Amino acid sequence: METVTTPLPWSDPREEVEVGVLMANGRLAPRRFANRAEAEAWARPEEGDRVVEYNLICECDS
């Protein structure tokens, strides 16, 4: 039996950005956010939280 595989579409790793919340204690929030708006709604800037964007694969300059 022959196996047929379909290649996955290529995506530039520099464009694979995650959104998170950097909490006042210097740690990332222990959860994932679907988008920036969700992270902003969860964050508490009055307590020192900041919404951040980061790349899980590399530290790439655009």
Side-chain angles (χ1 to χ4, degrees):
M1 182 180 267
E2 193 173 315
T3 303
V4 177
T5 59
T6 304
L8 296 173
W10 184 84
S11 64
D12 189 338
R14 295 170 294 184
E15 295 174 2
E16 294 185 25
V17 176
E18 295 282 329
V19 177
V21 173
L22 183 62
M23 298 184 301
N25 65 6
R27 295 181 152 202
L28 285 173
R31 59 165 292 179
R32 296 187 92 125
F33 300 95
N35 53 46
R36 186 173 187 89
E38 185 179 308
E40 288 173 349
W42 189 87
R44 295 182 177 167
E46 67 278 1
E47 294 182 15
D49 293 353
R50 293 186 307 142
V51 175
V52 295
E53 295 182 359
Y54 55 94
N55 186 296
L56 292 174
I57 298 172
C58 65
E59 293 184 39
C60 307
D61 292 330
S62 301

